[in-house]
Amino acid sequence: MRKRTLAIYDESAADTVRTLFLLSQHPTFSCFDVFTFASPQALLSSTTRFDIALLEIGTQTPNGFDLAKALQSRPNCPAIVFVTNDPRFVYQGYEVAEGYLLKPLDQEILNRTLSRVAKIMPRIQFSGTGSQGTHILRLGDIHYIETKERAVVVHTLRDCITLNLRFSGILNQLPSDFFVNSHKGIAINMMHIVSMIGSQIVLSNGVKLPVSRRSMAEVRQALTQFLQTYRD
């Protein structure tokens, strides 16, 4: 079994050492290969495919946000967790990352975060017809899926993928503890739900999706269960 790879970018050498120590106390630390970087440029020039990246937001230019966007423009983008000593960045961070950690890092919170991120890393394979080819997507990169003109559109972190597949067939490939049907022909990845207001769900990228009356109770129950299981 391939070890998971984890990248650490931090401007502070002392903070990097502390992060490495805390990681060494994680129950599954032996399953990780850890790489440290003192600059965004050094991480971007690495040829290693990372599964998780702990990125300090920092004060350099480019900063951690810029680094995250550069990584997300590439295939096989890692799951990103921001690290900051400024809580003002927290909500901005959730727009592009799976989570955030406030300095000084806390062992218990770090452990919980890594365990949660590990659960959203699995990749899902969608095989289209003809020239549509095969798409392998990380679970955390999928925002929502909808039917459109006899096709299925997969809305991801970077783009939209249209496949000539049956909606029911795609649903069977999705983990039910992450996706919920809010309306006929719409399945939402609950990782990206920011709020539910009335009959609308708001996603982390600002997209608003409808919730049917018939689905309202089911969506609320699924979201509550998801938050209890996967969110810190």
Side-chain angles (χ1 to χ4, degrees):
M1 179 177 172
R2 182 181 73 88
K3 280 191 172 184
R4 287 172 174 164
T5 50
L6 187 150
I8 300 172
Y9 159 61
D10 202 306
E11 296 175 3
S12 167
D15 286 347
T16 298
V17 170
R18 174 171 172 76
T19 301
L20 286 171
F21 172 75
L22 293 177
L23 285 172
S24 72
Q25 307 303 303
H26 190 274
T28 63
F29 178 71
S30 60
C31 299
F32 286 91
D33 283 331
V34 181
F35 301 77
T36 62
F37 301 91
S39 72
Q41 293 86 349
L43 196 160
L44 289 173
S45 65
S46 174
T47 57
T48 301
R49 194 193 89 181
F50 295 109
D51 296 307
I52 302 174
L54 301 182
L55 307 180
E56 184 193 24
I57 294 174
T59 58
Q60 295 185 20
T61 301
N63 61 19
F65 288 129
D66 301 321
L67 178 54
K69 290 175 182 177
L71 289 172
Q72 288 174 338
S73 68
R74 300 178 172 185
N76 298 317
C77 171
I80 293 170
V81 177
F82 283 127
V83 179
T84 179
N85 54 15
D86 190 338
R88 291 177 299 173
F89 288 125
V90 166
Y91 295 106
Q92 184 178 353
Y94 267 125
E95 295 177 4
V96 291
E98 267 72 60
Y100 73 94
L101 296 168
L102 283 174
K103 291 185 177 183
L105 298 188
D106 175 84
Q107 182 74 68
E108 182 180 350
I109 294 176
L110 176 63
N111 288 352
R112 288 206 314 267
T113 300
L114 289 179
S115 297
R116 174 171 56 81
V117 168
K119 293 174 182 176
I120 64 177
M121 284 168 44
R123 287 173 163 79
I124 301 174
Q125 178 174 310
F126 299 115
S127 296
T129 59
S131 61
Q132 292 180 327
T134 298
H135 300 268
I136 300 176
L137 303 174
R138 190 164 61 85
L139 177 60
D141 287 346
I142 302 171
H143 283 185
Y144 68 101
I145 297 171
E146 66 174 338
T147 55
K148 196 171 186 179
E149 297 178 356
R150 297 186 179 181
V152 172
V153 182
V154 183
H155 296 261
T156 75
L157 194 65
R158 287 171 289 279
D159 52 21
C160 298
I161 301 168
T162 301
L163 301 170
N164 292 325
L165 298 173
R166 293 178 65 88
F167 185 67
S168 58
I170 282 211
L171 284 184
N172 290 335
Q173 299 182 59
L174 301 175
S176 59
D177 52 338
F178 279 88
F179 285 83
V180 64
N181 284 70
S182 68
H183 203 279
K184 184 178 180 180
I186 298 177
I188 303 174
N189 188 342
M190 289 183 282
M191 301 177 42
H192 296 290
I193 294 178
V194 172
S195 63
M196 180 174 173
I197 304 173
S199 60
Q200 276 193 331
I201 282 176
V202 181
L203 302 185
S204 56
N205 60 356
V207 170
K208 296 178 180 179
L209 297 171
V211 182
S212 68
R213 289 186 178 181
R214 173 180 288 185
S215 301
M216 189 74 69
E218 179 185 345
V219 170
R220 289 187 184 278
Q221 182 179 358
L223 186 55
T224 298
Q225 181 63 45
F226 175 82
L227 292 172
Q228 291 173 346
T229 304
Y230 295 109
R231 290 276 176 92
D232 292 337

